[in-house]
Amino acid sequence: MVKEALQALLPGMVADRRHLHRHPELSFMEKETSAFVAERLAKLGIEVTSGIGGFGLIGVLRGNMPGKTVALRADMDALPIQDEKQCQYSSQSPGVMHACGHDGHTAVLLAIAEYYSGRRAELQGEIRLIFQPAEEVCPGGAVSMIEAGALDGVDVIYGVHLWTPIPVGKAGSAPDALMASTDEFFIEIQGRGGHGGMPHKSIDSVVAGSALVLQLQSVVSRSVDPLNPAVVTIGSIQGGTAQNIIADRCRLAGTVRCFDEETRDLIRTRVRELAEGTAAAYGASASVDYMMGYPSLVNEPREFERFYGTAAFDAGLIPEVSPKIMPAEDFAYYLRKVPGCFMLVGAGNPEKGILYPHHHPKFDIDEQSMLHAAALLIAMRESYCSDDK
């Protein structure tokens, strides 16, 4: 019955998703997206609180009977990527694109709002609809939503990510850590500039920086327990202005991904020690700006078990135990406050040419995945509310 009702809502989901895909907005700039969502919720008679953390919204749908409070979350922001797809719903905003599926997440939650708004008479408890800004950029939008009371009185929270590495028709999650923490660091090496033909009169910051890049590769291989997954990536190294000038400054930028706080603290310490020590070995100095980002996303084991049974029996999906993945999600902050589960819903379909990874300029989703995501979230909510606990 749920699937049939959602099937009738699928054309609207597709239309909403394509509208948002044509009009993407970057993190902390989701003004028109927020207004679009608020207008739709208001038409459904749903209580809306807007302007949270910039452009976040909370929609509250209360049933006519007492019961539990379940929160469902969607993120709304896009990425600074030029859309290279040739289709009728390609981005109309130069250099901005929904390359991660957040347009689909928003459309799914709007469809769920419509589904339940017509069922208030039979609805028990409360549904909290969280439309969050700025998932893509630290410090993210989740913290401000929580501070504004998004989780006050909430018993459990669920979220989905439309995920192209998983084929449409399947879904994955994990009973504990699913997604990594994400931290960033910026290292500036100060040397002494000079003429390229007289290196002995200078302190070459580029040479020191290059040595540091290699040294940082030893953090995971020689400092981290090999049973604990971790990544240290140097994504940028910049220094110098001309071929015959020894650069006085060199700047490195990198990211760190792992799954437990002990490893996270260890890596932060080692990055700082190696930066300062390597620079000093070349007669230079180093300053480190280390930014702690999102924590690891850890599901509640009982809610994972609910997903595994619900996905198969109530949502018509093939459930899988997902391996840990290194991308990060600020949904992790919600799960630190209340029990819940974050689920990856298959959205890839090579037969339709939908095979590009997230954050790729040709990224797309099989829009049938939105039907699956909506069915899964509704099934999770219904299962939780039917528990005797």
Side-chain angles (χ1 to χ4, degrees), residues 70-137:
V70 177
L72 306 176
R73 174 271 208 170
D75 37 16
M76 302 186 293
D77 53 329
L79 287 156
I81 297 174
Q82 179 62 43
D83 194 349
E84 294 182 2
K85 293 191 305 299
Q86 300 299 317
C87 61
Q88 66 180 45
Y89 52 87
S90 297
S91 172
Q92 296 179 14
S93 301
V96 184
M97 177 191 174
H98 272 294
C100 204
H102 297 186
D103 50 343
H105 303 165
T106 302
V108 165
L109 207 54
L110 285 173
I112 292 174
E114 186 170 353
Y115 174 85
Y116 278 116
S117 68
R119 291 168 171 78
R120 282 186 174 87
E122 59 197 69
L123 182 63
Q124 296 180 338
E126 178 183 315
I127 300 174
R128 194 84 51 86
L129 304 168
I130 300 173
F131 292 88
Q132 180 203 304
E135 187 279 326
E136 294 287 0
V137 177

Side-chain angles (χ1 to χ4, degrees), residues 212 271-284 286:
L212 178 57
V271 166
R272 189 175 299 278
E273 290 173 345
L274 283 170
E276 294 173 352
T278 303
Y282 285 86

